[in-house]
Amino acid sequence: PVFGGLYQLQCDLHDLPSTEAVIETIRRYVAAHPNDEWIVGGGWELQQFSFGPERAQLDAIEPRRPVYLVDTNVHTAWVNSRALELAGIDRNTPDPADGRIERDTGGEPTGLLHEGADNLVRDLVPAPPPEQYLDALRLAQRQLHALGISAWNDAWVESDIFEAYRKLEDSGELTARVVLSLLWDRHLGESQLEDLLEMRKLGTGGHLDANTAKLFLDGVIETLTASVLEPYLDSSGTPTDNTGIDMFDPVDLDRFCTLLDREGFQLHFHAIGDRAVRLGLDAVAAVRAANSPRDARHHIAHVELVHPDDVVRFGELDVVVNAQPLWAQYDSAMKDLTLAYQSPERRKWMYPFADLLRSGARIAIGSDWPVTTANPLHEIEVAVRRTPVEDPGAEVFLPEQRLDLATALDAFTFGSAFVNRDDDSGAIREGLRADLAVVDRNLFELDGRTSEAEVLLTLASGEPVFDRGLL
């Protein structure tokens, strides 16, 4: 959510219709901020560019100052030549173990930096001032409350974001309940444990719960960095030797997770590819074998591609499926950047929500905003219909994996409260905290078109935090 607010205060490229709109938005922002040391922002989408964005496009707008723009997935940075120069990146720079520098046919960097290669420039970008983090969080909270959201899990929390939450909580401005998923830096190992323990101590109480550790296991399929069990296909449908990027050695991953679980942390994994999902499940199995059983509520987020052999393991290992259903549709990213690089058999394993549910898994649904909309009514519609909100008559994406409306609603309310360890909310029942959203019509009378409804009122702990004139 803090990123979602920050983008709106920077060069915001979200939800633009075309390459031309992206370029023009950057041009206007550069002109309006002549004194900024860096041009920073994000939200562009890879499918908006026929051959991928290139540094030359940014050089034509701003050749003097460095430009750093992350994509909507926050897994790839688009930079200009000045940024590459400051980072010392040229044709002779090797790819880091956890990333890839995109290069043209002559070996020159194109300006795209995937996964860990992004850090080569990101580490040079001046951090926003603390007050900007606070403004971003205030903005995000207002927008999420307006969508009926009273609590969330912030899936990527480092020190600056942590401090923003603490300050807003201390000032009494934080009205949402928030789980802070503290980033486990894959480059640091066990040495960071003491820092996480201190952040948990300072960040737990009131509206905050900092007892979760976030581990990124892979990248994303769109840039062929998600970790997969079988090699990606190339543009002609021929298998390559690329199986993506594993962010951790499996032995190290099991060791780190066992240590974190022993200290009482909940494990929150990012896993897109089927190999990453398997490694996450294997890590939880190692944890359960090494440590005493407990109500840990470990969860794997995204589960975009799941091997059929692993579906049943979620229920067996009590791993919650942290799902983002808005991605489970035939949009341009799915058609051009996801399915095209998978074999026909593996295309049937995408977002298998119904199979996971039938196997005994517990499902919690979230948005991953600002990667995609935070609107639960839009997310629920795609979970139920598996068609784009803007084109409800489109082809259904794997119709056998649709959820019924009652299940989707439960996953968005009780399921999310469960994975957030918030047992005092998630349902309308006597004795539970009054975290409620009032919508303007009966969702069960809309044939799954829940996007047609809108939120009128949001209550957090019984107090109105958003009101469209109902009170």
Side-chain angles (χ1 to χ4, degrees):
V2 179
F3 288 146
L6 274 176
Y7 288 137
Q8 296 173 71
L9 304 175
Q10 299 172 337
C11 184
D12 189 2
L13 305 175
H14 289 84
D15 302 320
L16 296 178
S18 64
T19 305
E20 292 74 20
V22 171
I23 296 297
E24 182 56 31
T25 300
I26 299 170
R27 192 184 308 280
R28 288 199 305 268
Y29 185 89
V30 167
H33 296 81
N35 298 320
D36 287 4
E37 181 183 357
W38 283 68
I39 301 300
V40 179
W44 57 272
E45 301 179 32
L46 193 59
Q47 64 270 25
Q48 292 172 321
F49 298 83
S50 298
F51 300 101
E54 297 180 344
R55 60 175 173 164
Q57 294 164 298
L58 296 178
D59 292 346
I61 300 171
E62 179 51 87
R64 180 178 57 86
R65 294 176 291 171
V67 180
Y68 173 84
L69 304 169
V70 296
D71 75 328
T72 187
N73 291 321
V74 201
H75 285 265
T76 294
W78 176 23
V79 302
N80 67 348
S81 294
R82 179 57 177 154
L84 291 173
E85 178 187 357
L86 289 173
I89 299 173
D90 58 25
R91 63 181 297 116
N92 298 313
T93 305
D95 290 343
D98 61 346
R100 189 176 80 245
I101 300 168
E102 195 75 37
R103 305 171 196 270
D104 62 23
T105 55
E108 295 292 339
T110 67
L112 290 186
L113 305 172
H114 305 297
E115 305 302 335
D118 163 39
N119 294 333
L120 300 174
V121 172
R122 181 174 180 252
D123 290 345
L124 303 176
V125 178
E131 187 59 37
Q132 192 172 52
Y133 278 110
L134 286 172
D135 289 343
L137 181 51
R138 292 183 183 108
L139 177 60
Q141 179 171 253
R142 288 196 302 272
Q143 293 175 342
L144 294 174
H145 281 335
L147 296 174
I149 296 168
S150 59
W152 62 77
N153 184 319
D154 192 316
W156 187 344
V157 175
E158 297 182 80
S159 59
D160 289 338
I161 291 176
F162 177 84
E163 291 301 325
Y165 276 109
R166 281 300 316 159
K167 289 177 181 177
L168 216 64
E169 168 69 2
D170 291 343
S171 70
E173 296 178 75
L174 188 64
T175 48
R177 302 224 171 214
V178 184
V179 170
L180 304 177
S181 289
L182 308 177
L183 181 68
W184 181 265
D185 190 326
R186 58 182 176 267
H187 304 106
L188 297 181
E190 289 95 337
S191 64
Q192 64 193 297
L193 179 61
E194 290 302 316
D195 289 340
L196 264 65
L197 289 170
E198 182 66 14
M199 291 173 74
R200 180 173 69 179
K201 178 182 176 181
L202 297 175
T204 300
H207 292 84
L208 296 176
D209 177 349
N211 196 33
T212 297
K214 175 66 176 289
L215 300 98
F216 281 87
L217 302 189
D218 67 344
V220 292
I221 291 178
E222 291 89 337
T223 58
L224 311 184
T225 55
S227 176
V228 291
L229 292 169
E230 295 182 16
Y232 289 103
L233 306 181
D234 63 18
S235 57
S236 67
T238 303
T240 68
D241 59 359
N242 179 16
T243 56
I245 297 175
D246 290 330
M247 299 300 178
F248 291 94
D249 175 86
V251 175
D252 290 341
L253 179 64
D254 291 354
R255 186 175 76 257
F256 297 152
C257 290
T258 299
L259 176 62
L260 287 163
D261 178 82
R262 189 174 298 137
E263 292 288 347
F265 281 99
Q266 178 191 45
L267 302 174
H268 177 177
F269 299 100
H270 162 105
I272 293 282
D274 52 353
R275 175 170 165 80
V277 171
R278 180 169 292 179
L279 289 174
L281 292 168
D282 289 348
V284 173
V287 164
R288 288 165 62 93
N291 296 340
S292 301
R294 66 187 185 91
D295 182 17
R297 308 188 190 185
H298 302 316
H299 53 119
I300 299 179
H302 311 321
V303 292
E304 183 167 349
L305 185 66
V306 184
H307 192 283
D309 291 349
D310 291 318
V311 168
V312 70
R313 298 181 68 201
F314 281 84
E316 293 173 347
L317 294 169
D318 291 328
V319 175
V320 181
V321 176
N322 177 342
Q324 287 66 49
L326 197 86
W327 305 342
Q329 55 173 290
Y330 279 122
D331 59 10
S332 58
M334 177 65 74
K335 294 175 182 176
D336 300 334
L337 301 176
T338 301
L339 298 180
Y341 299 106
Q342 304 294 326
S343 68
E345 179 186 22
R346 292 168 60 77
R347 293 171 192 169
K348 302 174 184 177
W349 304 348
M350 304 288 296
Y351 303 112
F353 301 144
D355 283 350
L356 288 161
L357 186 69
R358 284 188 288 265
S359 75
R362 185 187 293 270
I363 296 181
I365 293 181
S367 69
D368 210 34
W369 182 68
V371 173
T372 48
T373 178
N375 191 328
L377 296 172
H378 288 220
E379 296 266 348
I380 290 168
E381 178 170 322
V382 180
V384 172
R385 297 176 60 92
R386 307 269 290 206
T387 56
V389 167
E390 64 277 10
D391 188 10
E395 181 182 359
V396 177
F397 178 64
L398 300 180
E400 67 276 11
Q401 300 300 342
R402 290 176 291 191
L403 301 177
D404 63 74
L405 179 55
T407 298
L409 283 168
D410 181 73
F412 239 115
T413 53
F414 187 78
S416 293
F418 176 86
V419 80
N420 284 351
R421 303 181 304 281
D422 189 359
D423 295 335
D424 292 327
S425 73
I428 303 174
R429 190 166 65 239
E430 184 177 356
L432 296 187
R433 192 174 66 252
D435 282 8
L436 304 171
V438 180
V439 295
D440 65 345
R441 62 197 75 187
N442 186 343
L443 300 182
F444 287 88
E445 296 177 352
L446 299 177
D447 191 29
R449 292 280 286 149
T450 54
S451 65
E452 296 179 356
E454 66 176 18
V455 172
L456 300 178
L457 176 70
T458 306
L459 302 180
S461 301
E463 297 296 325
V465 292
F466 170 76
D467 180 13
R468 201 182 294 273
L470 190 64
L471 296 181

